[in-house]
């Protein structure tokens, strides 16, 4: 196994100067087969709330079914929309939950609840799932962060995306994120790069090191006199940034190491390349990565398809299908599928009824999510809706139950408690939540 000392020695000798392409795969492969390896989770977050009827709970031939056909998958008896043929081929690794039943139809509040497992309430600051997983499965001494968020767009609510009461050590590293920038159909290398990893123009490594030392001395005095969560948070952020700047592990963010053909299979867009980056980070033991798919050309409201739902679904699934399907296949080829859970979800579903603008509106009553990979029994469907998709007829699943299932799949105890920002112990997932029966392997 290549150690950090090996890396530094080889770097100093110039062995990695021209390209790290020969060493990075070796390091990643070694990590993938480490028997002590902890599990990871990749969350594919569909901003806006995807239509369940037009994806994983098709109702062909009904008034609510829409124009898309249902196709067979790799598992006999399970059918999904014709817009997701690559994902359909990976069904043996996936469990479709068709009976999500929640109560919140507002984007902001629903997003908060599905990402934290709790309703938003002041002054408690609940952490998002990625921060919880980072705390439970991350290595405090690791050179890469325990939680990376790719292409996030927070939209109507900043809550539900941060570390909350866990503090800055468990906040996500944001890559390619923006609240306002237009979608980038063909991202440049910089779009998924970590900014400012190198010293600025005209600043040598020695000068940068001296400046960091001086900054540390000044901050130490300030932190001692004005000790607080805010001050320690700033200090933690600086420490993490400097650790990554000095680490060879930063090469994980360089997608040019990957074969062009594989990058093409994922899709040369922000979501596709984000999924590829997620796989690279899983290889290097990052426990939680999330990749957002929202607005794209042809679907500028993302999955929030109040109008022209069917045109938008074609555009969105055209990006989702190759990226997600290739991710599952790539994880399998690299021996990572059994230790990596993959979760596909948004904040709610869409109405069965098609409105006058050929759209579907918010609908938390009956909707779908998909779980797959490590810790999940694939090749099955959980729950059932009626013939129009309007109500759940079997095995309703609440939001906290879903999060408890994800935690159980990746080895996080959902009953564990952490001390909150108001001094009250809070469970990872609320006390009445239970993992979905028959889903965790």
């Amino acid at each position: 196994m290549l150690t950090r000392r090996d890396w530094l020695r080889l770097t100093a000798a110039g062995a990695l100067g021209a390209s790290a392409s020969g060493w990075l795969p070796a390091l990643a492969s070694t990590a993938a087969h480490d028997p002590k390896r902890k599990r990871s989770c990749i969350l594919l977050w569909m901003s806006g709330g995807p239509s369940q009827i037009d994806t994983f709970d098709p109702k062909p031939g009904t008034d609510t079914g829409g124009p898309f056909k249902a196709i067979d998958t790799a598992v006999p008896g399970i059918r999904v929309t014709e817009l997701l043929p690559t994902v359909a081929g990976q069904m043996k690794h996936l469990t479709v939950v068709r009976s999500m039943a929640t109560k919140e139809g507002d984007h902001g509040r629903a997003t908060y609840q599905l990402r934290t497992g709790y309703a938003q309430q002041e002054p408690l600051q609940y952490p998002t799932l990625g921060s919880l997983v980072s705390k439970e499965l991350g290595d405090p001494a690791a050179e890469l962060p325990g939680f990376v968020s790719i292409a996030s767009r927070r939209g109507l609510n900043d809550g539900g995306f941060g570390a909350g009461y866990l503090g800055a050590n468990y906040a996500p590293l944001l890559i390619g994120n923006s609240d306002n920038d237009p979608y980038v159909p063909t991202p440049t290398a910089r779009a998924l790069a970590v900014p400012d990893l190198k010293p600025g123009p005209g600043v040598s490594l020695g000068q940068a090191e001296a400046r960091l030392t001086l900054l540390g001395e000044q901050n130490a005095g300030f932190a001692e006199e004005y000790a607080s969560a805010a001050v320690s948070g700033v200090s933690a952020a600086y420490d993490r940034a400097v650790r990554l700047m000095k680490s060879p592990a930063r090469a994980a963010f360089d997608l040019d190491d990957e074969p062009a053909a594989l990058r093409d299979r994922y899709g040369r867009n922000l979501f596709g390349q984000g999924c590829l980056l997620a796989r690279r980070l899983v290889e290097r033991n990052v426990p939680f990565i999330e990749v957002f798919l929202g607005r794209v050309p042809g679907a500028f409201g993302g999955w929030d398809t109040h109008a022209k739902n069917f045109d938008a679904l074609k555009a969105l699934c055209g990006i989702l299908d190759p990226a997600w399907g290739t991710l599952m296949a790539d994880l399998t080829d690299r021996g990572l599928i059994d230790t990596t859970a993959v979760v596909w979800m948004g904040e709610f579903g869409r109405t069965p009824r098609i409105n006058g603008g050929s759209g579907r509106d918010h609908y938390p009553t009956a909707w779908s999510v998909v779980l797959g990979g490590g810790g999940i029994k694939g090749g099955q469907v959980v729950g059932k809706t009626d013939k129009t998709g309007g109500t759940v007829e079997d095995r309703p699943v609440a939001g906290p139950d879903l999060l408890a299932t994800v935690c159980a799949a990746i080895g996080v105890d959902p009953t564990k408690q952490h001390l909150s920002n108001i001094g009250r112990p809070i469970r990872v997932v609320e006390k009445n939540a239970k993992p979905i029966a028959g889903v965790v392997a």
Side-chain angles (χ1 to χ4, degrees):
M1 179 176 178
L2 292 173
T3 66
R4 185 171 185 275
R5 178 173 295 179
D6 294 331
W7 264 100
L8 295 174
R9 176 175 52 79
L10 291 165
T11 302
L16 306 180
S19 170
S21 60
W23 290 97
L24 277 172
L27 180 63
S29 178
T30 302
H33 296 94
D34 185 346
K36 298 180 181 178
R37 177 185 179 84
K38 293 183 179 179
R39 292 188 171 180
S40 296
C41 180
I42 298 174
L43 171 61
L44 306 179
W45 182 262
M46 305 294 108
S47 302
S51 165
Q52 67 283 357
I53 290 179
D54 302 307
T55 54
F56 289 99
D57 192 10
K59 304 291 183 183
T62 67
D63 291 342
T64 60
F68 303 128
K69 298 177 182 176
I71 60 171
D72 293 332
T73 69
V75 176
I78 300 179
R79 309 192 84 201
V80 300
T81 176
E82 63 179 324
L83 301 178
L84 298 172
T86 314
V87 175
Q90 296 294 323
M91 189 55 66
K92 67 180 181 180
H93 296 299
L94 302 173
T95 286
V96 178
V97 180
R98 288 178 173 162
S99 52
M100 288 300 298
T102 52
K103 297 180 180 178
E104 184 55 70
D106 172 81
H107 284 296
R109 293 192 294 267
T111 295
Y112 191 96
Q113 290 185 14
L114 267 297
R115 292 179 60 85
T116 68
Y118 290 90
Q120 190 168 13
Q121 55 178 303
E122 297 292 346
L124 262 172
Q125 299 167 358
Y126 293 107
T128 192
L129 178 62
S131 296
L132 287 163
V133 174
S134 175
K135 179 171 178 57
E136 295 303 313
L137 300 184
D139 177 0
E143 293 165 339
L144 290 172
F147 176 17
V148 177
S149 181
I150 301 170
S152 68
R153 283 167 176 79
R154 304 188 177 194
L156 301 177
N157 190 346
D158 275 342
F161 292 86
Y165 57 70
L166 293 180
N169 278 325
Y170 306 102
L173 173 66
L174 303 178
I175 302 292
N177 71 301
S178 170
D179 289 336
N180 301 306
D181 289 347
Y183 176 74
V184 182
T186 306
T188 63
R190 187 170 176 75
L192 289 174
V194 182
D196 303 323
L197 278 181
K198 298 179 180 178
V203 180
S204 69
L205 289 174
Q207 289 172 319
E209 188 70 38
R211 292 178 183 183
L212 288 169
T213 300
L214 178 61
L215 177 66
E217 292 172 353
Q218 293 177 331
N219 284 347
F222 184 86
E224 183 176 351
E225 186 171 355
Y226 301 100
S228 68
V231 172
S232 61
V234 170
S235 178
Y238 268 104
D239 290 346
R240 291 173 58 197
V242 171
R243 192 189 312 170
L244 185 57
M245 289 171 64
K246 294 178 178 178
S247 167
R250 66 179 185 270
F253 297 94
D254 185 0
L255 299 184
D256 288 339
D257 278 349
E258 297 291 335
L262 181 62
R263 295 189 67 177
D264 290 344
R265 284 173 55 199
Y266 272 94
R268 295 279 186 164
N269 51 71
L270 195 57
F271 181 75
Q273 299 301 291
C275 287
L276 174 55
L277 175 57
R279 189 225 75 206
R280 289 172 63 85
L281 294 172
V282 164
E283 284 181 308
R284 291 154 180 83
N285 291 320
V286 175
F288 195 94
I289 306 101
E290 60 185 10
V291 190
F292 287 66
L293 178 56
R295 57 184 175 178
V296 301
F300 291 102
W303 298 91
D304 192 23
T305 52
H306 291 284
K308 298 182 178 179
N309 170 77
F310 306 107
D311 291 340
L313 263 289
K314 289 180 183 177
L316 288 159
C317 289
I319 289 173
L320 171 67
D321 182 61
W324 184 6
T326 301
L327 173 63
M328 299 300 293
D330 206 6
L331 290 171
T332 302
D333 293 344
R334 292 167 185 269
L336 293 164
I337 194 69
D338 291 335
T339 55
T340 307
V342 180
V343 181
W344 177 89
M345 63 185 291
E347 63 267 38
F348 43 57
R350 315 297 302 183
T351 51
R353 182 183 64 85
I354 301 167
N355 66 30
S358 296
R360 298 189 192 267
D361 303 314
H362 303 179
Y363 200 66
T365 304
W367 52 290
S368 300
V369 303
V370 181
L371 309 173
I376 300 295
K377 292 180 182 177
Q380 62 174 329
V381 171
V382 170
K384 178 184 176 183
T385 57
D386 66 13
K387 64 180 182 181
T388 66
T391 60
V392 172
E393 289 189 332
D394 184 40
R395 302 182 65 183
V397 175
D401 294 336
L402 175 66
L403 265 60
T405 307
V406 175
C407 287
I410 60 176
V412 171
D413 180 3
T415 70
K416 187 174 181 179
Q417 297 183 345
H418 299 114
L419 195 64
S420 71
N421 56 303
I422 61 172
R424 186 199 309 170
I426 303 293
R427 290 168 51 119
V428 169
V429 182
E430 71 174 37
K431 64 180 180 179
N432 295 323
K434 295 180 179 178
I436 308 169
V439 171
V440 178

